[in-house]
Amino acid sequence: MQTDIFHPLDLVEEIFAANDWAFERAVADELVADVGGRWADYSLMFGWREDMAMLQFACACDLRISLERRNAVYELLSVVNDQLPIGHFVVDPDSNLLVFRHGSLMRGHSGPTVEQLEDMVELALAECDR
């Protein structure tokens, strides 16, 4: 498990600051930033689960899916998710927003690297824009 010396979201915070992205860390284990994309605005959310040594990541697109189109979107997401190397898209049932999600297990590691975190964000933003 992680020690109290290093928290994975500290590194995420540094990356967000380096990109001049406004972010909020209301609690130690959650970090949220808003980023502009090609087609929509995105909310990047990182969460740390100490009990599982897991870094959770979500990128919510500011695209609401209407109830009438939901089945068609589910069919499309099935095809899209099959082509993704990591992560997957879902429609959040509460907000009806399109969300890219990914989780990384970190047990036995000293934590994620800057490059891994940057790749995670870049992949999500690229897939959401695509």
Side-chain angles (χ1 to χ4, degrees), residues 2-3 6-13 25 29 31 46 48 50 54-55 106 110-112 117:
Q2 295 295 115
T3 66
F6 173 78
H7 195 292
L9 296 188
D10 293 342
L11 190 54
V12 175
E13 204 172 277
R25 190 169 176 183
D29 293 335
L31 183 66
F46 277 89
W48 175 245
E50 180 72 32
M54 181 170 69
L55 185 63
M106 298 286 154
S110 60
L117 294 169

Side-chain angles (χ1 to χ4, degrees), residues 8-37:
L9 296 188
D10 293 342
L11 190 54
V12 175
E13 204 172 277
E14 290 178 24
I15 293 169
F16 285 3
N19 282 289
D20 291 324
W21 293 337
F23 63 89
E24 182 179 341
R25 190 169 176 183
V27 295
D29 293 335
E30 293 178 9
L31 183 66
V32 178
D34 292 319
V35 178

Side-chain angles (χ1 to χ4, degrees), residues 11-12 14-15 111-122:
L11 190 54
V12 175
E14 290 178 24
I15 293 169
T113 65
V114 171
E115 294 83 6
Q116 289 170 321
L117 294 169
E118 289 174 341
D119 288 349
M120 195 179 297
V121 170
E122 288 174 17

Side-chain angles (χ1 to χ4, degrees), residues 46-108:
F46 277 89
W48 175 245
R49 294 270 316 260
E50 180 72 32
D51 61 329
M52 297 177 68
M54 181 170 69
L55 185 63
Q56 296 176 303
F57 173 67
C59 180
C61 305
D62 190 17
L63 299 170
R64 296 202 189 284
I65 309 301
S66 68
L67 293 176
E68 299 82 30
R69 303 215 39 155
R70 191 172 284 194
N71 286 337
V73 170
Y74 286 150
E75 287 182 34
L76 177 62
L77 291 183
S78 176
V79 173
V80 169
N81 285 337
D82 192 46
Q83 297 175 20
L84 293 175
I86 63 169
H88 62 281
F89 282 97
V90 298
V91 175
D92 181 75
D94 297 325
S95 65
N96 294 322
L97 291 175
L98 183 63
V99 180
F100 176 85
R101 295 179 55 189
H102 176 67
S104 295
L105 298 172
M106 298 286 154
R107 189 169 71 93

